Amino acid sequence: MKKIEAIIKPFKLGEVREALLDLGAVGMTMSEVKGFGRQKGHTEIYRGSEYTVDFLPKMKIEVVVGDAVASKAVDLIIKAARTGKIGDGKVFVSHIEEAVRIRTDERGEKAV
Amino acid sequence: MKKIEAIIKPFKLGEVREALLDLGAVGMTMSEVKGFGRQKGHTEIYRGSEYTVDFLPKMKIEVVVGDAVASKAVDLIIKAARTGKIGDGKVFVSHIEEAVRIRTDERGEKAV
Amino acid sequence: MKKIEAIIKPFKLGEVREALLDLGAVGMTMSEVKGFGRQKGHTEIYRGSEYTVDFLPKMKIEVVVGDAVASKAVDLIIKAARTGKIGDGKVFVSHIEEAVRIRTDERGEKAV
Amino acid sequence: MWKNQNLAWRRRVLRSLGRAAVLFAFALGVHGAEAAGAPRDASLEERVTDLEALMNHTAPAAVHRASRVSVNAGDHAWLLTSAALVLMMTGPGLALFYGGLVRSKNVLSTMMHSLFLMALMSVLWILYGYSVAFGEGNRFFGDPGQHFLLRGVGAAPNLDYAGTVPHQSFMLFQLMFAIITPALISGAFAERMKFSAMVLFILLWATVVYFPMAHMVWGKGGLFNWVLGGAIPALDFAGGTVVHVSSGVSALVCCLVLGKRLGHPSTPMPPHNVVYSLVGAGLLWIGWFGFNAGSALNAGALASAAFAATHFATAAAALAWAGLEWILKGKPSALGLASGMVAGLVAITPAAGFVTPAVGLLIGLLAGAACYFAVTKLKAAFGYDDSLDAFGVHGLGGTLGALLTGIFADPEVNPALASTWKAHGATVSLAGGFGQFLHQLKAVAFAWALAMAATYLILKAIDALIGLRVSEEDETLGLDLSQHGEGAYNT
Amino acid sequence: MWKNQNLAWRRRVLRSLGRAAVLFAFALGVHGAEAAGAPRDASLEERVTDLEALMNHTAPAAVHRASRVSVNAGDHAWLLTSAALVLMMTGPGLALFYGGLVRSKNVLSTMMHSLFLMALMSVLWILYGYSVAFGEGNRFFGDPGQHFLLRGVGAAPNLDYAGTVPHQSFMLFQLMFAIITPALISGAFAERMKFSAMVLFILLWATVVYFPMAHMVWGKGGLFNWVLGGAIPALDFAGGTVVHVSSGVSALVCCLVLGKRLGHPSTPMPPHNVVYSLVGAGLLWIGWFGFNAGSALNAGALASAAFAATHFATAAAALAWAGLEWILKGKPSALGLASGMVAGLVAITPAAGFVTPAVGLLIGLLAGAACYFAVTKLKAAFGYDDSLDAFGVHGLGGTLGALLTGIFADPEVNPALASTWKAHGATVSLAGGFGQFLHQLKAVAFAWALAMAATYLILKAIDALIGLRVSEEDETLGLDLSQHGEGAYNT
Amino acid sequence: MWKNQNLAWRRRVLRSLGRAAVLFAFALGVHGAEAAGAPRDASLEERVTDLEALMNHTAPAAVHRASRVSVNAGDHAWLLTSAALVLMMTGPGLALFYGGLVRSKNVLSTMMHSLFLMALMSVLWILYGYSVAFGEGNRFFGDPGQHFLLRGVGAAPNLDYAGTVPHQSFMLFQLMFAIITPALISGAFAERMKFSAMVLFILLWATVVYFPMAHMVWGKGGLFNWVLGGAIPALDFAGGTVVHVSSGVSALVCCLVLGKRLGHPSTPMPPHNVVYSLVGAGLLWIGWFGFNAGSALNAGALASAAFAATHFATAAAALAWAGLEWILKGKPSALGLASGMVAGLVAITPAAGFVTPAVGLLIGLLAGAACYFAVTKLKAAFGYDDSLDAFGVHGLGGTLGALLTGIFADPEVNPALASTWKAHGATVSLAGGFGQFLHQLKAVAFAWALAMAATYLILKAIDALIGLRVSEEDETLGLDLSQHGEGAYNT
Ligand SMILES: Nc1ncnc2c1ncn2[C@@H]1O[C@H](COP(=O)(O)OP(=O)(O)O)[C@@H](O)[C@H]1O
Ligand SMILES: Nc1ncnc2c1ncn2[C@@H]1O[C@H](COP(=O)(O)OP(=O)(O)O)[C@@H](O)[C@H]1O
Ligand SMILES: Nc1ncnc2c1ncn2[C@@H]1O[C@H](COP(=O)(O)OP(=O)(O)O)[C@@H](O)[C@H]1O
């Protein structure tokens, strides 16, 4: 199994979710993160002290899928998340050795 | 070493923590995430516009353990986190190549 | 490619970021987590009921780098994050099979 | 002629609004029946005497003769301001204080307890609540139909209750008390009671506990009324027994009957936002000036005395609570300070218009300490889950204040104490001392008994009928989502 | 001698402050020109009659003879308190109510709409706003220069408007209405309008809609003024047409012209912090006592009546809205309850000083239901994106209230209704009925027309000039960062 | 007879309460000693004249003869309302304004600074603070024991200070000023001072700076008192020198002595919740009407004038600050607008009852601009870490306002200016001009000197005794946890 981690722009969450559902994924986990990258941050001012906020709000989606669909999933996510503007984010794929569904104790691809 | 990621129901956090402590784990890291899965979300209404919240609050526990105890840890977590109701969550296991304790620069299993 | 996950004390974020920038990293992702470890938590009291908060606020930095610089990056992070006091945190390294830049569809080390 | 047409038109419109309109039309028809007769001549001296009386916050003697002026605008301004302040205590004051103390998944449901009651109690009040509390009746309750839709409650002052302000304003001011009292109870059942059960409970509780208690203590002819002919003259300036004992004791029964929250006490349930609670406490302190100093019902010296006693008691109680924490736990907490404030405000409520500022300070010190121990030791010892300490603070603080009022009431602060005392003969002393202490004790005991019995029976009945508690699943999910279909915080 | 030197010195200082100072110096020079002549002798009886008049909230007859006392301190205390309460409605009241309803990235920009207008409208008011609204002029607007920098607005009461309080205090009280009205509109364009366009829009809107509307309805000689010689006497106690219709209808035009927020309606945009909105609603309720009961302009029986009608309407509307949700959706929501409160407050505003509490209750019930359907059904049916329902609540609630005022206005509540009615002859009835309903209809229709036309033209002009909406990128980033360079929440 | 028994009983109870009770019993015994003699006959004309005087906010001439009415209820209603408003400025107003500006780990400790002082200062006040400030004494301070436990402060008006309201209410109103002043300083040492050191510091600071300054400027016979015989008559309507200069300058010393926060200025420390700060600023604006217009001590024309000047100054300063940001930084910020509001409120404080609204506008513009530059440029240039800009806003804004008051004070706004001026001879001019400017300068310089010297010495003493700052570890952890054992936000 593969874990796909996608760091995307927050307002693209809905589209990425739809894309994954279309693929047949039945589960995913999401968290709010802050990203630093080429997309430069913005300046904020508080009572005259100006400073740069480099870390921008991003959404991280983690989805574990069977090996077979992993690359398809990556492509779909990329398509859904792309705006073409800097800061669109990254997708990382890594190997998962075991997955377990807590409720049923099912293991492996059945569990994802 | 293995990284065990467990996505569980928030109110099960205490029990899972106890289970890991019983195993001898001395460290773990937790974060608030939102999960999408078979457990269907709930409907919210704001001034007449109704919408479904699919992403439910979940807790993610990450714990890196030595290879020897990994499968024991997974079992303990599953036992502690199970309610038997849909939405209990998942456990994912992956390989960790290196671990370092920042304070002492200890490496490998000594560091976890 | 390697994913380096560093769990550090929140106020060390700035220094770790600088260290990574010095190395030439152009991206990283950060999230607020809570850590449990040797560093004991503190006691809080609300209207007479006292309880221990074991989970302390930590910052998790995730950065994916090429294999070549991974160990250098780990060392820099450790140096920047260390206070020498308990609770300084951990660094974990794992293997990343694929990375994609969403905007351009670049893959592999070019994407990180 | 035209007027009749006009009424007919109104009736036509109203009829089409369905059955409810019948009641309204009735009320519309009878409104304003209390119009005064044409003024008869008064001498210049009488007119000046009348003005002086009014400026001294007394109804002019002229009212039965030829009243030219009947409202003291200054008294009225203060009463209206006070009414607004007392409503502010409930929403947003109490709503924030309680809302901050619960977990984030229950904050809206907790605030809803306060906010919904602002609406519900107002409607009960206009239908029969005011009549039961302040209508003419027996020593336990007033005639429930007397002021239906507020007929007979108009611009003219009610000389029994407040001689220099419109009767309507007195009614409004009292309504604000009827709103906050049941809202106080909600601290006991927060985070686990069904909303429908809550609504039903308060409806019944107000009807059989609050309105009658208000009648007994403040209503004309009430059993404990100390100025309008009560058999057991008990002093309760702004609601020690009526408001705090009744709500606080009922709160205790609520948490005993409902049982503990899931996970209590093993899982810590710290406040989700202490800032909200601190803001709430601040607003309560401010609003309480309306509560206590407004209870003078005019802007005379008594309002000043009540304001002062209230303020110093609050300050002292806050220091007492935070100080005890500092000594016993090593650190004074912000929530402790705020809890002390509320304890002081509660305890001074019955005493405010009867005691000096120095005595207020003393009462505050005692209340801060007593409530601190109630909340930290007593609750732990008995193991009930009073989520937000409605009993520990209001039940005990109110009881303490009501009893101390008997001891410290001072005719130099409130001259009415001296005069009434004489009217009741030597055995009855309103101006403090053991005799009065006994009266206070009786009233407090009565309030305890009524609150306990009624609350228990009402809760049992509702439990049988529709159930009191939400399901385990709903409790785990949080009451905001399960009871109200909304979450407080979104991104 | 010295005085001249003094003035010269002041002028010297001022001159160095640049061109603006010229205007100020002018204002300083003419200030206080309205000094009264020396009092002539009055008999003792006259003096007593004068005192009685003042205590009855009427200007003493003596004012043209030898006024010894001209301000009723009680009336004044209530008016100042009310002015403070009305300002509190805008900041923090409305700022919190609206701020909680938007997404967290737009909370500061939304609050800024309210807070900035507290400053901007005050400056317009002192320059020409008060003159246009309450100066002498034609039936549509007052002379814009009459009270420049508030000359002629001093300590002496203005007998046309409020005979027992300083003219200056009347001016301040009215200013608070001029502040909140445009702030209400901001609910319609929240989360997408450029800040610069907002400022320009309000500046023009206040000038051509609000100040003239206030003149027509409340100003001496205004077209719809029912006590000071209007041709079409329309009843609007505290701002049904002036405040709510004008702002609510303009709000509708705003959301039509600006278009929907990006993502609406496919992306849910739930309130980021419902607690803020509940606190805001609570403060609005409290502050509205100043708004409505303060509009009596004294602390007499009318203030009491307006207070009561306001309170019961609000309670009823809250129950109506939450009750409908309970029945139709299965759960009553906290935000629904709060929305109902605001709907009730809006609808009772024009009626407050004219109707009984029972009628207030009825108006509240109708308003709660009507606005509920407007917000849930009407908006969905037509598909406009009224971000925070400024039209559904203020436009419709205000219209409903203004019309119902014509039906239910009652001379027993407000005796002035009877007397004015006679002055206008049998065909004109101010005391409710079909005749008055028609007057109300005309005023409401006029307000709708003016608001729609003016808002449309102003927006189109600004759009051509500088553009109304922020860029897509800025909207996505959030207005807090893009318009104000700051984020509300940091760790 | 009974009365003696009663007192004996009370004493018995009290004795058992330990040593503290001795003080209380003493106070109880002497309370109310100021009872008036029996009224002697007054003619009808005298009685009418007395009523007229009272309604004109002046003590009746009759007070020494046969006072039948001594309190003007309208004046009193406004004063009580104002006292409540001023307390609201501290809690929740200032607590929220400051609390929002710090990092989330310090929000409770910052709010605690304000809330704890509400309690602490009240106790100091009742013990000796009021006596030092308003008792009879020398030109620097009053006799500290004169009003111990408020003896001699009762229902009768104090004719020196406020002739138409109970002395007790005047005392309460002034207390609210004594509460907020030290709380203002806390902005300078937020996020790093030990709580115990804070308590000790304020205790000493209030004793040697605030109470004496209040005596000098407002107390009978005080050095700078302009109406009650001060040698250097300085105008300070509601606390320019007493409140803002004293606190703001002390704040500067605090941040210099304590040093910078860890990480300052390299680590950005943005406000953790700007919404709180905006709400706080709104409440400050509202509450300040009580502060300034309440300082008229009655509900007459002066209150109206002070209200107006306050309002327009605030509006203008908000526009000035936000406008400068817009021009110089490209964007107007919400926090900038709010900061401007506070700057305007501060600067108009000493001037409020002396200047026209137009001058208020001018003072506001200047204050907004001056404080903007102080906070953005001056602080950066000198590099001190004034966490929340207590010096930049209160120190400089207060100084500016106090000096401008000398220039713009206008006898047409405050007639007392003209009469006092004559009493002092031609060389002393209270009605603006260079002479008065010099008096103002002296008072301001004195306040600067006293505040700097006393604050420095007190801090050094406390540092030697118990240390001023928390440890580095505690500062990193946050003061909420380290000083108060609680966190503001939990899930
Ligand atoms: N090497 C990396 N490791 C972890 N996260 C990264 C890395 N590079 C980029 N990211 C994440 O991806 C986001 C987008 O990257 P950025 O460089 O701004 O845009 P783009 O990928 O379009 O050039 C960042 O904000 C960060 O969260
Ligand atoms: N393939 C997946 N990848 C990542 N997270 C998943 C995946 N499947 C489920 N999850 C997480 O597990 C949670 C529980 O899954 P759900 O399908 O609701 O229940 P169950 O596993 O009991 O059928 C989800 O809310 C989500 O956070
Ligand atoms: N085995 C582990 N797996 C995951 N996270 C860990 C593990 N051990 C420690 N951590 C994280 O590292 C943080 C610091 O660990 P701690 O034991 O307190 O200090 P130290 O590493 O200096 O002994 C913890 O708070 C936790 O977030």
Side-chain angles (χ1 to χ4, degrees), chain B residues 25-30 62-65 101-104 111-112, chain C residues 7-8 33-40 54 56 58 85-90 92:
Chain B
V26 293
M28 68 193 80
T29 301
M30 164 204 121
E62 287 172 272
V63 55
V64 175
V65 295
R101 184 187 310 278
I102 292 174
R103 175 166 49 94
T104 58
V112 303
Chain C
I7 293 148
I8 60 169
V33 298
K34 305 232 155 165
F36 177 88
R38 293 205 193 148
Q39 181 188 14
K40 68 172 191 307
D54 307 297
L56 298 173
K58 300 279 170 190
K85 294 216 192 90
I86 214 159
D88 271 353
K90 304 271 164 93
F92 303 120

Side-chain angles (χ1 to χ4, degrees), chain A residues 7 9 38 74-75 77-79 81-91, chain C residues 99-112:
Chain A
I7 293 150
K9 289 189 170 162
R38 291 204 196 148
V74 169
D75 289 345
I77 290 173
I78 289 173
K79 216 173 122 211
R82 186 179 297 159
T83 68
K85 295 216 190 91
I86 213 159
D88 271 354
K90 303 272 164 93
V91 176
Chain C
V100 194
R101 184 187 310 276
I102 292 174
R103 175 165 50 95
T104 58
D105 215 354
E106 286 163 289
R107 308 251 163 173
E109 302 226 345
K110 286 195 307 281
V112 304

Side-chain angles (χ1 to χ4, degrees), chain E residues 2-3 6 9-10 13-14 17 24 27-33 44 47-48 51 54-55 68-78 80-81 83-85 87-89 91-92 96 107-109 111-112 115-120 122-123 125-127 149-150 153-155 166-172 175-176 179 195-196 199 272 276 283 481-491, chain F residues 44-45 48-53 55-57 72-75 77-78 81 85 88 103-104 270-276 278-279 282-283 285-286 289 293 298-301 303-309 311-312 314-316 318-319 322 326 330-338 341 356-359 361-362 365-366 406-413 421 426 429-434 437:
Chain E
W2 181 87
K3 178 141 193 195
N6 181 25
W9 158 256
R10 271 197 256 163
V13 170
L14 285 165
L17 291 166
F24 278 95
L28 295 169
V30 298
H31 175 83
L44 198 57
R47 285 163 63 190
V48 172
L51 288 179
L54 202 64
M55 290 188 71
R68 295 182 185 231
V69 188
S70 67
V71 166
N72 179 329
D75 293 346
H76 195 206
W78 178 238
L80 292 180
T81 302
L85 285 171
L87 187 63
M88 185 190 74
M89 290 172 66
L96 271 173
V107 56
L108 297 184
S109 79
M111 297 184 78
M112 191 75 169
L115 300 179
F116 191 85
L117 294 185
M118 290 165 71
L120 178 67
S122 302
V123 173
W125 196 245
I126 200 177
L127 293 178
L149 291 182
L150 303 180
V153 181
H167 186 180
Q168 196 164 45
S169 296
F170 171 78
M171 175 278 298
L172 286 164
L175 164 54
M176 304 317 179
I179 286 172
F195 184 69
S196 54
V199 173
H272 90 287
Y276 292 169
L283 292 178
L481 282 170
S482 72
Q483 302 298 296
H484 306 291
E486 56 189 347
Y489 308 112
N490 303 288
T491 349
Chain F
L44 198 58
E45 169 141 26
V48 172
T49 306
D50 287 354
L51 289 179
E52 286 169 345
M55 291 188 70
N56 273 325
H57 325 290
N72 179 328
D75 293 346
W78 177 238
T81 303
L85 285 171
M88 186 189 73
R103 288 164 292 172
S104 59
H272 90 286
N273 190 322
V274 180
V275 174
Y276 293 168
L278 298 185
V279 173
L283 292 178
W285 188 337
I286 309 306
F289 291 136
N298 60 52
S304 179
F307 198 117
H311 185 77
F312 292 106
T314 309
L319 288 185
W326 208 343
K331 288 173 184 171
S333 75
L335 184 58
L337 190 87
M341 288 176 186
T356 62
V359 167
L361 198 80
L362 179 65
L365 279 174
L366 297 174
I407 296 171
F408 291 115
D410 186 336
E412 272 162 13
V413 173
W421 167 54
S429 155
L430 289 161
F434 196 65
F437 183 81

Side-chain angles (χ1 to χ4, degrees), chain E residues 6-56:
Chain E
N6 181 25
L7 280 171
W9 158 256
R10 271 197 256 163
R11 284 214 191 80
R12 262 201 313 282
V13 170
L14 285 165
R15 204 172 301 135
S16 68
L17 291 166
R19 212 175 293 158
V22 179
L23 301 173
F24 278 95
F26 173 63
L28 295 169
V30 298
H31 175 83
E34 82 278 31
R40 275 181 290 122
D41 270 7
S43 73
L44 198 57
E45 169 140 24
E46 281 171 332
R47 285 163 63 190
V48 172
T49 306
D50 287 354
L51 288 179
E52 286 168 346
L54 202 64
M55 290 188 71
N56 273 324

Side-chain angles (χ1 to χ4, degrees), chain D residues 183-201:
Chain D
L184 293 172
I185 310 177
S186 71
F189 54 68
E191 306 200 281
R192 59 197 184 288
M193 194 174 192
K194 274 165 78 170
F195 184 68
S196 53
M198 192 289 293
V199 172
L200 201 53
F201 168 65

Side-chain angles (χ1 to χ4, degrees), chain D residues 240-485:
Chain D
T241 45
V242 181
V243 174
H244 297 291
V245 171
S246 74
S247 65
V249 170
S250 300
L252 179 63
V253 177
C254 282
C255 47
L256 290 173
V257 173
L258 263 91
K260 302 173 185 180
R261 285 167 292 175
L262 283 182
H264 180 88
S266 59
T267 315
M269 299 174 183
H272 90 287
N273 190 323
V274 180
V275 174
Y276 292 169
S277 296
L278 298 185
V279 173
L283 292 178
L284 284 172
W285 188 336
I286 307 306
W288 225 294
F289 291 136
F291 203 93
N292 286 1
S295 286
L297 300 171
N298 60 51
L302 195 58
S304 179
F307 198 118
T310 302
H311 185 78
F312 291 106
T314 310
L319 288 186
W321 189 307
L324 282 168
E325 285 184 342
W326 208 340
I327 294 165
L328 302 175
K329 304 278 178 182
K331 286 171 187 174
S333 75
L335 185 59
L337 190 86
S339 304
M341 288 176 186
V342 179
L345 288 162
V346 166
I348 198 64
T349 295
F354 299 120
V355 302
T356 61
V359 167
L361 198 81
L362 179 64
I363 290 178
L365 279 174
L366 296 174
C371 294
Y372 173 78
F373 287 111
V375 162
T376 54
K377 303 287 170 203
L378 198 73
K379 189 170 62 165
F382 286 87
Y384 54 88
D385 179 18
D386 184 1
S387 321
L388 315 179
D389 295 309
F391 172 67
V393 172
H394 296 277
L396 288 188
T399 300
L400 182 74
L403 297 180
L404 293 178
T405 302
I407 296 172
F408 291 115
D410 186 338
E412 273 163 11
V413 173
N414 191 329
L417 286 170
S419 63
T420 313
W421 167 53
K422 276 169 199 155
H424 281 263
T427 54
V428 176
S429 155
L430 288 161
F434 197 65
Q436 187 54 32
F437 182 81
L438 276 185
H439 294 310
Q440 301 295 112
L441 201 59
K442 286 180 199 160
V444 167
F446 184 96
W448 271 73
L450 176 61
M452 292 187 90
T455 302
Y456 184 79
L457 293 175
I458 296 171
L459 287 177
K460 283 296 173 186
I462 295 174
D463 201 9
L465 211 65
I466 59 170
L468 288 171
R469 266 184 93 129
V470 298
S471 70
E472 287 209 4
E473 205 168 338
D474 283 357
E475 194 174 335
T476 307
L477 179 62
L479 271 60
D480 291 3
L481 282 170
S482 72
Q483 302 297 297
H484 306 293

